[in-house]
Amino acid sequence: MSDNLSLFELNNEKIENTRILELRKKIIEADTAYYVDAQPLMTDREYDLLMQELIDIEKNNPELITPDSPTQRVGGAPLKEFRQVQHDRPMLSLANTYSREEVEEFDKRIREALGDTQYKYTQELKYDGVAVSLHYENSVLKLALTRGDGITGDDITQNVKTIQSLPIKANDLDINGIPLRNFEVRGEVFMMESDFLRINEQRAEAGEKLFANPRNTTAGTLKLLDSKEVAKRPLSIVIYYIDTQDVKLSNHSDNLEIIKKLGLPISEQTRQAASIDEIFNFINKWEENRHTLPFQIDGIVIKLDSITHQNILGFVARSPRWAIAYKYQAEKAVTQLNGITFQVGRTGVVTPVAELEPIFLAGSTISRATLHNEDYIKERDIRINDFVVIEKGGEVIPKVSAVVLEKRPDDAVLFSFPELCPCGIKHPLVKPEGEANYFCEHPECPWQIRRRIEHFASRNAMYIDGLGEKVVDQLVNLEYIKSVADLYDLHNHRDKLLALERWGEKSVDNLLAAIEQSKKQTLSRFIFAIGIRFIGEGAAKILARTFKNIEALSKATIDDLKSVHEIGEKMAETIVYFFSVPKELEIINRLISYHLNTELTEEETGRDGVLTGQTFVLTGELSSMTRNEAKQKIESFGGKVTGSVSKMTNYVIAGSDAGSKLKKAQQLEVKVLNEEEFIELIEKL
Ligand code: IVH
C-alpha cells in the first residue's frame, strides 16, 4: 500500500477487505453445509449473489485475492500441458486378490511378522476412481498430483480445486495441543453414477463418443487442460490416507477421524475387523449391496490398523505388505446376439440396439443392450449371431463389451449400418463430419415425431398423464397428431378417439382433460418440453428465469445466451438454431395460440426452493422413474439427495427391495416414504 493513499481510499480498502473475509466465510460455510453435511444453508440464488459480490470485489482489488478464496476453484487460463512433480513418497498400489484363501494367507503373513502382538484391521470400500495426492500447506490446498508412474505425477491442482466437496482451506485442528497445518492426504476422485449417466446422455445427444464407465469419465475429466471444462463435470472425492511431520500418527482408524476433523470427506462405510470371518462379513455385505451405493466400487480394501504394525510389515515391490484389495468379479455374462435393431431419438440420432438371447445378470434379465454407434460395432468386430460379453456395472445401462471369438458360429453375419432411416419415409441417413452417429434429418420422420411427443408429454416435461408410448404410437400411426401442437386440437376429434379400439368415454375424457390441464405448466417445463437439443431440465429452468417468456428466448442472440451463467456455446448455438427453423416456430406459435402458458409466473419462481434445506436418500428400485430422475426432481425444487442415511436426513424414499438404508432410517426414526407417497409429495409442489 502506498504512503500517500488518502484516508478515504484506506478506509474503502479496509471495508472491502472485511467484506471479502465475511463473504468467503459465508460461502465456505455454505459449501460445507451443502456438499459435506448435506444440509444447505441457503437457496442457490442467495449463494450465487454472495459469490457474484465476491467476484466483483476481487476483480476490482486483485491484490486481495488469496489462493484459498472460493473464487479460485475455477481459475486461470487453460494449460498447455501438466507440470510434472515428484511425489514425496512413492504412490503405491495394492496387491489384488479374488479369493478367501489369499486373504487368509495375507493374514497369516501378518500374524507371523507380528508374533504374539494383538492386531486389527480397518476395512474400506475400494472406490473405482483415480488416485490423487493432495498437499496442504498452512491448511491451504497447494498442490494436487495424479499417481503418474508412482514416482512422478501430473500437477492437476486447478482441476482438483473444482471438486466442490473438497475444502481448499482445511479446518484448523490441534492434536494434543499441537497444530496440524501441513500435511499430505491421498484419496480417490470418482464420479457419482447419476452424474456419469447425465454426462453420457448429453454426449449421446451431441453425437459424441460415450464414456465407458464413471472411472474412465473421471480419468478423462482430470486430464482436461481447461479447469473451466472440468468444473462442468461434477467430481467427488474420498480421502483414505494422511501423512504429516507436524504430529504423531498412530493408527489408520484415528487418522480417518483426523481427516474428517480437518473437514475433508472420508468414506462413511468403514469397519474394523479382527478375524477372517469378520473380514468376509463385510466383503459379502458389500458384494450384495454394492448396487445400493450411488457410486461404483470394485472391491474392499483391508488395512492393518496400527501404523507401528504397518511399519514392521513394510513393502514388497510396489505394494505395502500391510494392506490388500479384495476385488469383486466384474458382472459379466455371455449370450448370443440375435439381431441388431435401431432406435431413432427425438433429435434424429439413430442408435443400434443389440437384441440378445435373454440372460440374467446382476439382478435383472437382459434382452437388449446398447451398441452405441457404428464405430463401436466395428472396433469390436461384433457380428450378428456372435456370442457376446454383456457387462452391467451398478445402475449403468447394460452394454455389449466384446465378442467371444472362439465361439463365433459359421453363420455369423457382418453388420453394415443402414443407409436409410428405419422409419416409413426411409429418408437417407447422414453422418455429420466429426460425429460418431448417423442422423435422420427428415422433419416428418414419424419415429422422431413419436419420441418428441413422448418427451413433451413426459412426467418431467408437460406431464400429460395417459399419453405414454403406446398411445402416442397409436395416434401418430393414425396421423391424428403430427406434432405436439396437434395435441391441443384433439378435443375437436373426440368422436374419432371414441371410435378407437380399447378407448371408452372415460379414458378419452381423462386424456383430453390432462392435455387441457398441461396448458398451465410452468415456463421452464415448456422450454424443456419443446425439445431443444442439449437443453435439459436444469438449463430450461435457468433460461426461464433469465428470459421470462418464450418470445424473449426465441429472440435471444448467441451472445445474449452465452452471457448467462451455465449456458455454454453449444447450448447457445442450438437454441438459436431451434428458433430459426420455420417448422419449430410454427409449432411454438400454434402452442401460444392454444393459450399454453409461456410466461414465468411468480408461482414458478417461488416454487423453486420449496425443498431447500431438505435432504433425501433414495433406496431400492422405483417403478415409475429411475433414481436419477427422482434425484433431478428433488434437486429441481432445491432439495438435496445424499447416499447415506443419518439423523440429518429428512426423508428416505424406499422403492422395492430397499435394504440396509431403510433399516437405518427406521432405527433413526427418519421419515420413510414409499414410491406413491413420494410422487404425491412431488406433485403437490
Ligand atoms: S489405499 C498404499 N484405500 O485402489 C495403499 N486405495 O489398487 C494406498 N483405492 O491406488 C491405497 N479405494 O487408487 C486405498 N479405500 C481405499 C481405496 C483405494 C480405492 C484405489 C487407489 C489405489 C488402488 C490400489
Side-chain angles (χ1 to χ4, degrees):
M1 211 182 293
S2 74
D3 293 340
N4 50 10
L5 274 181
S6 70
L7 194 60
F8 172 75
E9 280 170 315
L10 258 176
N11 263 340
N12 232 2
E13 184 158 310
K14 209 166 149 201
I15 291 167
E16 296 203 311
N17 209 352
T18 323
R19 181 66 184 151
I20 278 190
L21 295 179
E22 198 174 77
L23 286 167
R24 286 182 190 157
K25 186 158 172 267
K26 278 194 181 161
I27 292 170
I28 290 169
E29 277 169 9
D31 278 341
T32 314
Y34 188 91
Y35 291 104
V36 184
D37 309 333
Q39 282 294 304
L41 296 174
M42 56 184 76
T43 63
D44 289 358
R45 171 136 185 84
E46 285 164 330
Y47 182 88
D48 290 346
L49 284 175
L50 293 179
M51 188 62 114
Q52 196 54 50
E53 191 185 343
L54 181 60
I55 292 171
D56 290 343
I57 304 183
E58 287 186 351
K59 210 160 153 193
N60 293 328
N61 304 278
E63 71 285 359
L64 298 181
I65 300 178
T66 55
D68 64 335
S69 171
T71 58
Q72 302 305 297
R73 281 203 188 273
V74 188
L79 304 172
K80 292 222 160 40
E81 57 179 7
F82 293 115
R83 187 171 67 105
Q84 299 264 304
V85 181
Q86 194 167 342
H87 294 295
D88 285 352
R89 289 211 220 172
M91 271 183 93
L92 303 164
S93 78
L94 296 171
N96 289 332
T97 168
Y98 292 88
S99 76
R100 185 172 172 126
E101 290 72 48
E102 284 182 14
V103 177
E104 281 168 359
E105 281 164 26
F106 162 78
D107 179 54
K108 192 166 155 233
R109 283 195 299 274
I110 290 182
R111 206 177 325 121
E112 284 168 4
L114 296 180
D116 286 340
T117 331
Q118 288 278 334
Y119 60 92
K120 63 176 183 183
Y121 296 107
T122 295
Q123 287 174 280
E124 291 167 5
L125 303 183
K126 184 162 166 12
Y127 285 73
D128 202 4
V130 175
V132 288
S133 148
L134 314 175
H135 292 256
Y136 280 79
E137 287 171 26
N138 279 325
S139 305
V140 176
L141 174 65
K142 279 286 165 60
L143 180 65
L145 300 176
T146 60
R147 186 216 312 264
D149 60 6
I151 307 294
T152 308
D154 285 340
D155 175 352
I156 52 160
T157 315
Q158 280 306 343
N159 290 352
V160 166
K161 279 189 179 173
T162 66
I163 304 173
Q164 300 275 10
S165 59
L166 182 76
I168 296 179
K169 158 111 184 26
N171 294 335
D172 285 343
L173 178 68
D174 294 353
I175 309 241
N176 299 328
I178 306 169
L180 173 54
R181 304 286 184 270
N182 301 294
F183 51 87
E184 180 194 351
V185 288
R186 292 181 180 177
E188 199 84 353
V189 178
F190 62 98
M191 187 174 272
M192 293 288 182
E193 266 177 1
S194 54
D195 291 326
F196 163 74
L197 289 173
R198 201 168 53 230
I199 287 173
N200 253 359
E201 267 164 29
Q202 287 163 357
R203 290 179 78 86
E205 288 221 340
E208 289 167 342
K209 249 191 151 140
L210 297 186
F211 287 118
N213 52 45
R215 201 192 66 79
N216 287 10
T217 318
T218 307
T221 304
L222 285 177
K223 290 234 163 79
L224 294 172
L225 291 164
D226 185 354
S227 64
K228 290 196 183 64
E229 290 303 311
V230 178
K232 291 185 193 154
R233 300 206 198 141
L235 296 172
S236 304
I237 191 167
V238 61
I239 303 294
Y240 46 65
Y241 170 88
I242 181 165
D243 190 25
T244 179
Q245 304 297 320
D246 288 5
V247 298
K248 183 172 167 5
L249 301 171
S250 18
N251 53 58
H252 182 67
S253 43
D254 289 348
N255 286 359
L256 291 176
E257 279 307 305
I258 292 175
I259 297 169
K260 189 174 179 185
K261 285 190 187 138
L262 286 167
L264 309 182
I266 60 166
S267 169
E268 290 180 34
Q269 295 86 7
T270 52
R271 195 193 281 170
Q272 309 265 313
S275 69
I276 296 286
D277 279 346
E278 279 176 24
I279 289 177
F280 272 86
N281 276 342
F282 190 75
I283 289 179
N284 295 338
K285 172 185 157 186
W286 284 110
E287 176 143 40
E288 228 169 83
N289 292 310
R290 59 198 275 210
H291 300 303
T292 65
L293 294 166
F295 47 81
Q296 294 196 343
I297 58 169
D298 59 344
I300 295 296
V301 183
I302 306 149
K303 300 175 179 175
L304 195 53
D305 198 50
S306 148
I307 311 272
T308 316
H309 292 168
Q310 288 182 5
N311 291 337
I312 294 173
L313 273 124
F315 301 88
V316 276
R318 295 179 57 196
S319 320
R321 289 169 64 207
W322 46 263
I324 195 165
Y326 181 93
K327 297 248 282 193
Y328 294 136
Q329 297 286 353
E331 287 168 297
K332 289 183 186 173
V334 172
T335 189
Q336 197 165 16
L337 176 64
N338 292 334
I340 296 178
T341 56
F342 299 90
Q343 262 178 358
V344 185
R346 66 187 157 92
T347 56
V349 56
V350 180
T351 320
V353 178
E355 301 293 339
L356 303 162
E357 194 53 39
I359 186 154
F360 191 76
L361 172 66
S364 61
T365 301
I366 294 166
S367 53
R368 307 182 86 201
T370 178
L371 287 165
H372 300 302
N373 54 46
E374 186 182 33
D375 295 343
Y376 189 87
I377 299 172
K378 279 194 178 152
E379 278 160 20
R380 288 161 186 78
D381 187 22
I382 298 170
R383 304 186 189 182
I384 296 165
N385 293 334
D386 262 339
F387 284 87
V388 290
V389 181
I390 312 298
E391 266 183 52
K392 190 178 175 200
E395 280 176 320
V396 185
I397 309 147
K399 65 171 185 190
V400 174
S401 61
V403 171
V404 187
L405 281 177
E406 309 82 74
K407 285 181 110 179
R408 171 163 282 166
D410 295 338
D411 62 350
V413 186
L414 256 176
F415 158 83
S416 59
F417 216 87
E419 285 172 13
L420 306 176
C421 178
C423 77
I425 298 181
K426 307 220 176 300
H427 192 62
L429 298 179
V430 290
K431 190 176 186 183
E433 216 179 293
E435 296 223 21
N437 290 322
Y438 282 89
F439 287 84
C440 169
E441 290 184 330
H442 199 290
E444 281 169 21
C445 164
W447 286 26
Q448 267 175 72
I449 292 176
R450 259 175 233 169
R451 296 282 99 81
R452 287 190 64 169
I453 298 173
E454 267 168 48
H455 168 75
F456 184 86
S458 65
R459 189 182 283 276
N460 294 358
M462 301 301 272
Y463 195 9
I464 305 178
D465 207 8
L467 196 63
E469 206 178 310
K470 291 222 173 76
V471 178
V472 173
D473 268 1
Q474 202 177 10
L475 297 178
V476 173
N477 282 344
L478 290 164
E479 299 192 5
Y480 288 3
I481 44 174
K482 286 191 175 158
S483 78
V484 295
D486 292 340
L487 290 172
Y488 297 92
D489 198 35
L490 268 183
H491 65 276
N492 289 323
H493 304 282
R494 189 169 173 271
D495 292 350
K496 278 202 215 161
L497 294 177
L498 280 173
L500 292 177
E501 226 180 281
R502 290 194 307 267
W503 283 69
E505 294 255 343
K506 195 157 178 234
S507 49
V508 168
D509 287 339
N510 281 348
L511 177 64
L512 292 175
I515 293 174
E516 185 62 27
Q517 190 66 24
S518 72
K519 291 181 177 176
K520 296 194 206 117
Q521 287 292 15
T522 57
L523 175 63
S524 62
R525 278 174 175 264
F526 183 86
I527 295 172
F528 175 56
I530 55 178
I532 309 171
R533 220 173 147 194
F534 306 136
I535 304 303
E537 279 176 88
K541 221 167 220 184
I542 292 161
L543 292 169
R545 261 185 254 151
T546 314
F547 293 94
K548 303 198 168 50
N549 61 60
I550 201 72
E551 203 193 336
L553 177 64
S554 71
K555 293 193 174 135
T557 64
I558 294 206
D559 283 342
D560 294 340
L561 290 158
K562 268 175 30 191
S563 70
V564 181
H565 187 53
E566 293 187 60
I567 303 294
E569 178 129 19
K570 253 187 167 166
M571 285 188 188
E573 279 169 9
T574 55
I575 295 166
V576 170
Y577 172 74
F578 182 89
F579 289 107
S580 73
V581 178
K583 180 111 190 119
E584 305 292 4
L585 286 178
E586 186 202 312
I587 293 175
I588 304 280
N589 284 331
R590 277 184 65 202
L591 292 173
I592 296 173
S593 76
Y594 292 127
H595 303 294
L596 269 76
N597 170 46
T598 54
E599 306 264 335
L600 184 77
T601 57
E602 265 179 36
E603 196 204 337
E604 177 172 1
T605 343
R607 275 165 28 134
D608 280 0
V610 279
L611 293 183
T612 299
Q614 308 272 334
T615 307
F616 290 74
V617 174
L618 301 166
T619 176
E621 206 157 311
L622 301 175
S623 60
S624 61
M625 61 182 100
T626 64
R627 276 214 242 165
N628 198 25
E629 282 165 351
K631 178 167 183 264
Q632 283 179 4
K633 199 88 223 169
I634 293 166
E635 287 172 351
S636 74
F637 291 111
K640 170 111 179 93
V641 176
T642 64
S644 55
V645 183
S646 75
K647 288 198 299 283
M648 314 299 262
T649 311
N650 298 93
Y651 293 100
V652 169
I653 314 299
S656 55
D657 289 334
S660 58
K661 290 184 194 173
L662 177 58
K663 246 188 236 152
K664 182 138 186 222
Q666 285 156 347
Q667 273 165 14
L668 297 174
E669 296 183 2
V670 170
K671 189 158 176 54
V672 178
L673 301 180
N674 64 25
E675 181 165 355
E676 249 165 57
E677 291 165 328
F678 170 58
I679 290 173
E680 209 173 290
L681 171 87
I682 292 290
E683 275 165 11
K684 266 198 282 178
L685 299 175

